[in-house]
Structures are given as C-alpha cells and as structure tokens.
Amino acid sequence: MTPIAVCSDDYAQNPGIDAGILDLLAFGRLSAVSCFSTAPAWKSNAAAALREHKGQADIGLHFNLTEGFGREKMPGLHAVILRSLLKGMNADRLQRELERQLDAFEAGYGQPPDFIDGHQHVHQLPGVRQIVLQVIKRRYPGRPIWVRNTVPANPAWRGKPQILKYLGGQELAAGLKISGIKSNHGFAGVYGFDREDYAACFKEWLAAVQPGMLIMCHPATEVYPDDVIARQRVVEYNFFRSQEYPDMLAAAQLKLARLSSIV
C-alpha cells in the first residue's frame, strides 16, 4: 500500500479544533498535527493533551506571523506577503520570532518538533524561508526535521494550488533539496473552504497520490467565533470521523504514515 500523510493544522487555536484533532488522533485518522506554540491554550492545556498521543503522529510547529489569538494585533496575510515580496522582512526579527516559537513548542511538548510549516504558508515566503532553513540547520544539526512544501501533487491543478506554488512553494522545495532537509512529495488539501461535498475534494486529491504525499486539513468538532472557516472545519471533521474516509483510503490502496518515516 502507498504511504501518505494527512496533517491537521491550527492545533491550540481554539477548543473545537483541539477536540477534533485529539479525537481523530485517538481513532488513527491523522498522521501529523501542526501546532500554534504561542497560543494561550498551548501552555495551559493543549500541549499536555497532545503529549498523551506521542508516537502516533508527527507533531510540528505551525510558524505564525498573522494570528494574534484575540490578544494582540497582528498584520494580515496580504500585508505580510507584500512586505516579503518588497524585501521588507527584518531577518533578525524573524529569526528571534521563530526561535521564540520553537522554544515555546519544546517547553510545552518536551522535545523538538518533527516538522515545521507555516500558518497560511508564511514559512515559504521570500525572506522567511531563508530564515527557516538557517535556523533548522543551526539549531537541529543532524536531526531529521522535515518542512512542508506546497508544490501541488497534480501540476494540472489551477487556482490556489498554483498561487501557493509560485508564492514561494517552488523555491522552498528547491532550497530544501539543496539543504538536504526532507520534505513531502506533492501537496494537496488546498481549496476554498466552501465545499459541503468535502469527500469529493478528498477523492480528487487521492487521484494524484504518490508516496510521501501530504494532505493538509482543518477539522474541528464545533463552530467557534472569529474563525472565518469555522463551519467548514466541522464539515471536514465529520468526513474524517466517518467510515467513508478509511474506506476511501483502502479502495485506493493507501495507508496513513508519519512523513518522518517515509521521506
């Protein structure tokens, strides 16, 4: 059977997301979880709850430059993208922020992350991806940490998958290869967060499967305010909790695996 990884993003953002992810981990429906290490819940309870599932999935840092968790004003994604394209990112400040988030991750989880990605994929932006690679090589020499790249599994996919590819995904993938840092082989899970027929999306992504492919998801058990994709999170959770999901994997001769074990 072909091994693939399914990663749920945004752990520690709110209780509905955390409950959904922990439940899906308990039922073996995920193989990776990406975490906000500076969210208030990470330190108070989320990290401790996740430690109960050590060994079941890769646990990584969801590097964050845009989410303030209702406590602090953060720049929007468009502002961060524009600044990066205009070469306006402050390298020293970025490095300190990444180190701060890694420190918080390790303090909560008790060990370094298995991987690093970015909230809204900020880790791949110009001026940011270089810092991510530098920090990994300096901070974790010899440790097999992988980094998400967003090069679409199917080159024919249009719209958002191509935007991500050309907004740093392709360059990051090349940089990872040069640096000898492991990464996924093909990326899926990108859509408009507007599909009640999420299973149809998932089936389309599986049609592009290759060993080591990574599918991103955003499940939650309930809707929380101040989350623009909150309702779609519940749609995703219901799919991953259903029998249709494992049946779909089995029919395609696929198995969930930790990406750290297959790339």
Side-chain angles (χ1 to χ4, degrees):
M1 300 183 81
T2 302
I4 65 168
V6 174
C7 179
S8 184
D9 287 1
D10 301 340
Y11 185 77
Q13 181 172 326
N14 68 49
I17 293 172
D18 296 354
I21 289 174
L22 293 171
D23 181 64
L24 293 173
L25 280 174
F27 278 84
R29 303 297 173 90
L30 301 171
S31 59
V33 176
S34 190
C35 309
F36 282 123
S37 69
T38 52
W42 176 256
K43 185 176 181 180
S44 63
N45 57 65
L50 198 57
R51 288 198 301 268
E52 299 297 317
H53 297 275
K54 271 191 178 181
Q56 292 179 238
D58 286 341
I59 308 299
L61 174 71
H62 204 42
F63 184 41
N64 172 40
L65 297 175
T66 60
E67 174 58 57
F69 309 106
R71 298 185 309 168
E72 56 183 311
K73 185 174 178 59
M74 299 283 283
L77 177 61
H78 290 168
V80 172
I81 291 174
L82 182 61
R83 191 182 309 157
S84 74
L85 294 176
L86 294 176
K87 300 182 179 180
M89 305 299 280
N90 184 303
D92 290 339
R93 188 177 303 163
L94 275 174
Q95 179 176 331
R96 288 195 299 271
E97 182 58 27
L98 178 54
E99 298 273 13
R100 182 177 79 95
Q101 294 186 29
L102 287 167
D103 288 345
F105 181 97
E106 293 176 16
Y109 193 61
Q111 66 184 54
D114 294 307
F115 66 93
I116 296 174
D117 61 27
H119 182 51
Q120 299 178 313
H121 313 292
V122 295
H123 70 299
Q124 69 177 22
L125 294 174
V128 181
R129 60 178 178 263
Q130 293 87 347
I131 297 300
V132 171
L133 299 183
Q134 290 169 16
V135 169
I136 289 175
K137 292 175 71 175
R138 179 189 55 75
R139 182 167 176 140
Y140 304 115
R143 190 175 183 90
I145 290 177
W146 58 270
V147 174
R148 175 188 295 179
N149 79 75
T150 61
V151 176
N154 184 344
W157 289 339
R158 294 292 178 257
K160 288 180 69 176
Q162 289 296 321
I163 292 172
L164 287 178
K165 174 184 174 180
Y166 290 114
L167 202 57
Q170 190 167 248
E171 289 82 358
L172 176 60
L176 291 168
K177 187 173 183 179
I178 292 170
S179 299
I181 297 173
K182 294 183 177 183
S183 189
N184 49 293
H185 301 150
F187 183 65
V190 180
Y191 71 115
F193 297 109
D194 55 356
R195 296 281 297 271
E196 287 293 330
D197 59 339
Y198 181 74
C201 287
F202 204 83
K203 189 173 184 179
E204 179 183 344
W205 298 329
L206 293 186
V209 73
Q210 53 190 289
M213 186 174 83
L214 175 64
I215 301 177
M216 165 187 70
C217 63
H218 300 80
T221 56
E222 57 186 301
V223 173
Y224 269 74
D226 302 319
D227 182 354
V228 295
I229 64 169
R231 294 189 180 280
Q232 191 64 25
R233 290 185 190 274
V234 177
V235 172
E236 291 193 20
Y237 170 77
N238 289 335
F239 167 74
F240 286 112
R241 195 63 169 80
S242 73
Q243 187 59 39
E244 184 177 12
Y245 168 50
D247 287 350
M248 196 178 290
L249 294 179
Q253 294 291 297
L254 303 175
K255 65 177 181 179
L256 285 185
R258 297 175 64 174
L259 203 63
S260 59
S261 69
I262 56 178
V263 296

